[in-house]
Amino acid sequence: MMTQAINTTAALYRSLPAMDNLLLNSTVLKLRQEYGEAWVKQQLSMLLNQARAHIAEREVLPKFCATHDTLIKTLSEQLLAAQRHSLQAVWNLTGTILHTNLGRSQLAESAISAVTKVMRYPTPLEFELEAGKRGHRDQAIGKILQQLTGSQSCCLVNNNAAAVLLMLSSVAAGKEVIVSRGELVEIGGAFRIPDIMRQAGCTLIEVGSTNRTHLKDYQEAITDNTAAIMKVHTSNYHIHGFTSAVDEKALAQLCQQHKLPLLSDLGSGALTDLTEFGLGDEPTPQKMIQDGVNLISFSGDKLLGGPQAGLIVGDSELIEKLQQHPLKRALRCDKMTLAALEATLLLYRNPKALNDELPMLRKMSRPVAELEQLGQLLMVELPEFFAPHFNLAIVPTQTQVGSGSQPDTLLESLALTFTPTSKSLYPVHQLEQKFKQSPRPIIGRVSNNQYWLDLRGSEQEVRLINALREVGQKL
Ligand SMILES: *Cc1c(COP(=O)(O)O)cnc(C)c1O
């Protein structure tokens, strides 16, 4: 018995094709040309090792080794799958429009073509065409940004966290910065105002209490060692009830009296009145400039709808200090970001058309009636493909803005829900996996043992319906 088993196993090992032969197979030769010698060899040797491990464990050949053809087919599928980009397109039907984990804002078409152009051709990134001399890379965008915000000058970095770090390092390193206790924000990840202060080499002077801070609290905290007062927009939470904060105008006056700069971390930083698009009120940099704030920082990929970037606008003298700081060089934007940002900012010359141009605003301002129509269509097209495992329904829901923007704004929406029937062989989390394994992954959420797809995030709807149907067909 024993000897026979060993013999069979040995025969199985022997039945595996030799690497050298496989490499000369005509299909494999083509694969070697397409994917590279070393990579194909490595993948092939991995498959053969898997086969040997399978034989050792179960004393049978794995299915993919049934014939040479099945082995080569597996190799070729594996090579193709490994070429799939991890940064691929997905459908964001999570119910959060500006989803940080899904890349925040989608860009306007004009921004996308601007990026492609600067990737493909040389571009005067640091060159003044008219004067024919060396220029500054933030200058191109300076003009439009200054027009939109009424600021004297600007400085651009990779994100708003970098912007805050640069502001504090340039203006207040080694000195004290006064901030209200109600504004010691944590944005998520490791971004907390007290931590950034430490990184920038500043001493944080907290004033007031969590819910109430008064002008005299700031006043009494000013010493010879004070370098600045900073306001932080509590963009991702609101304190309701017995509250009081000092507005920028009053703080600007206090700062002027003491010859101190007033800094503001605005967070989301909308450049136009977003209530026109069904969103809440959001403080704008232009209002801050009018109120006398000296430096204002905000994100490019939150409510602005552009690329990831940190925009700082304000007084020329202070901006010059930021531009000269060694950190600026480490944090500066690349040409793709700058091109996308310029194209996005140019759209703001005509704010009324923004919801046609910016996917984020288009989705957020879409009338519920349109979502109802889509819902009806889905209920005609889909249920048969998910029967008998899931019952489908269209139910009211609310969409969040996301990225810590406007926590109090909830947009009316509809969701397509999948509820397991009593006959269902599929737990909801397995359905979720199937949606994620779709060629263009579909991302929804699980809640109350149901799977939810929020329709406010939908786009390219004919394709979406086909993709949803395919998931159903594969159950
Ligand atoms: C989002 C946010 C930041 C961080 O901005 P990023 O662009 O994500 O780096 C900083 N401060 C506030 C108040 C924010 O809302």
Side-chain angles (χ1 to χ4, degrees):
M1 269 313 270
M2 190 70 187
T3 346
Q4 198 174 359
I6 290 172
N7 282 343
T8 339
T9 316
L12 288 174
Y13 284 127
R14 272 201 306 277
S15 76
L16 290 176
M19 179 72 140
D20 288 345
N21 285 344
L22 280 170
L23 286 172
L24 295 174
N25 169 289
S26 62
T27 311
V28 177
L29 282 170
K30 273 187 217 135
L31 293 173
R32 285 164 64 183
Q33 278 209 332
E34 187 175 351
Y35 296 105
E37 300 284 342
W39 178 237
V40 172
K41 256 189 213 170
Q42 189 195 324
Q43 293 295 301
L44 199 49
S45 114
M46 221 169 70
L47 279 176
L48 291 173
N49 283 340
Q50 266 172 29
R52 285 186 202 104
H54 195 275
I55 296 170
E57 201 176 307
R58 307 197 201 163
E59 297 182 6
V60 285
L61 279 177
K63 267 197 198 133
F64 69 85
C65 283
T67 64
H68 282 207
D69 284 351
T70 55
L71 177 60
I72 289 165
K73 187 163 168 271
T74 308
L75 172 70
S76 131
E77 283 167 1
Q78 204 159 299
L79 289 165
L80 188 69
Q83 291 303 105
R84 195 162 147 168
H85 296 190
S86 44
L87 292 181
Q88 60 186 321
V90 303
W91 266 288
N92 171 11
L93 304 179
T94 57
T96 302
I97 299 288
L98 291 173
H99 204 301
T100 299
N101 305 150
L102 300 177
R104 288 194 185 161
S105 61
Q106 292 165 258
L107 297 197
E109 284 305 320
S110 62
I112 294 165
S113 50
V115 174
T116 336
K117 222 175 267 172
V118 300
M119 286 196 296
R120 189 167 287 136
Y121 305 111
T123 187
L125 181 63
E126 295 185 350
F127 186 74
E128 284 184 44
L129 280 181
E130 279 165 38
K133 59 172 190 183
R134 190 168 200 279
H136 190 282
R137 66 170 59 206
D138 293 349
Q139 225 157 32
I141 292 179
K143 216 187 283 169
I144 174 75
L145 195 52
Q146 285 144 30
Q147 281 166 7
L148 292 172
T149 61
S151 64
Q152 294 175 353
S153 193
C154 75
C155 176
L156 305 167
V157 288
N158 277 322
N159 53 32
N160 188 35
V164 176
L165 178 66
L166 180 61
M167 281 200 299
L168 290 170
S169 306
S170 310
V171 172
K175 300 188 87 180
E176 294 170 356
V177 179
I178 305 171
V179 184
S180 160
R181 281 202 173 87
E183 299 175 4
L184 295 176
V185 177
E186 175 182 315
I187 302 305
F191 187 89
R192 284 178 173 175
I193 291 297
D195 297 335
I196 294 285
M197 289 269 177
R198 232 185 334 273
Q199 282 297 322
C202 317
T203 308
L204 169 66
I205 304 294
E206 301 173 27
V207 297
S209 61
T210 307
N211 57 333
R212 290 172 73 83
T213 302
H214 307 282
L215 189 63
K216 72 169 178 4
D217 296 325
Y218 286 99
Q219 212 160 9
E220 285 165 5
I222 295 174
T223 68
D224 288 346
N225 214 14
T226 306
I229 291 180
M230 179 152 107
K231 282 284 279 181
V232 183
H233 179 46
T234 56
S235 50
N236 58 0
Y237 68 97
H238 276 168
I239 301 178
H240 296 278
F242 187 55
T243 65
S244 161
V246 186
D247 66 23
E248 282 76 9
K249 227 177 194 163
L251 277 180
Q253 269 179 6
L254 179 67
C255 281
Q256 260 167 21
Q257 285 162 15
H258 292 85
K259 298 200 165 36
L260 290 172
L262 176 60
L263 318 179
S264 167
D265 170 11
L266 212 45
S268 308
L271 279 176
T272 188
D273 179 7
L274 292 176
T275 57
E276 304 230 348
F277 303 101
L279 296 178
D281 216 3
E282 187 74 25
T284 59
Q286 43 273 44
K287 171 78 168 42
M288 300 282 133
I289 296 275
Q290 278 167 15
D291 286 351
V293 182
N294 305 101
L295 284 180
I296 300 134
S297 81
F298 51 104
S299 292
D301 57 351
K302 290 185 179 172
L303 293 172
L304 194 71
Q308 178 188 306
L311 295 80
I312 309 166
V313 295
D315 298 355
S316 308
E317 216 173 289
L318 289 169
I319 292 281
E320 194 47 36
K321 242 182 170 169
L322 268 57
Q323 293 287 8
Q324 299 303 331
H325 196 280
L327 261 183
K328 169 64 203 313
R329 174 60 202 257
L331 301 173
R332 73 181 186 185
C333 294
D334 72 308
K335 61 182 177 180
M336 291 183 267
T337 301
L338 292 171
L341 191 56
E342 181 180 30
T344 307
L345 290 172
L346 286 170
L347 297 173
Y348 278 85
R349 288 237 173 94
N350 183 12
K352 278 200 169 49
L354 278 173
N355 60 340
D356 290 331
E357 305 290 341
L358 293 176
M360 161 201 76
L361 280 185
R362 195 186 311 142
K363 286 180 175 180
M364 291 200 280
S365 64
R366 203 167 168 197
V368 179
E370 271 184 35
L371 302 180
E372 264 162 22
Q373 277 180 0
L374 173 62
Q376 280 167 10
L377 185 60
L378 294 173
M379 287 306 288
V380 172
E381 297 285 340
L382 296 177
E384 58 179 303
F385 294 99
F386 290 87
H389 304 297
F390 293 94
N391 287 327
L392 275 55
I394 298 292
V395 302
T397 186
Q398 290 174 317
T399 309
Q400 294 180 329
V401 177
S403 284
S405 302
Q406 302 214 340
D408 291 342
T409 303
L410 290 170
L411 305 158
E412 290 301 305
S413 182
L414 293 174
L416 174 63
T417 59
F418 298 76
T419 312
T421 59
S422 53
K423 294 193 208 93
S424 180
L425 299 175
Y426 287 91
V428 169
H429 69 85
Q430 207 169 324
L431 180 69
E432 184 191 26
Q433 286 306 320
K434 294 273 176 204
F435 278 109
K436 281 200 279 199
Q437 285 158 6
S438 177
R440 171 171 167 184
I442 299 162
I443 321 281
R445 66 177 197 273
V446 174
S447 168
N448 278 333
N449 198 36
Q450 284 179 318
Y451 187 65
W452 288 62
L453 296 175
D454 185 328
L455 302 186
R456 194 167 278 291
S458 61
E459 57 194 340
Q460 298 182 298
E461 278 147 20
V462 176
R463 281 193 212 181
L464 176 61
I465 293 172
N466 283 332
L468 290 168
R469 199 187 283 153
E470 270 171 36
V471 173
Q473 277 166 338
K474 283 185 195 153
L475 281 189

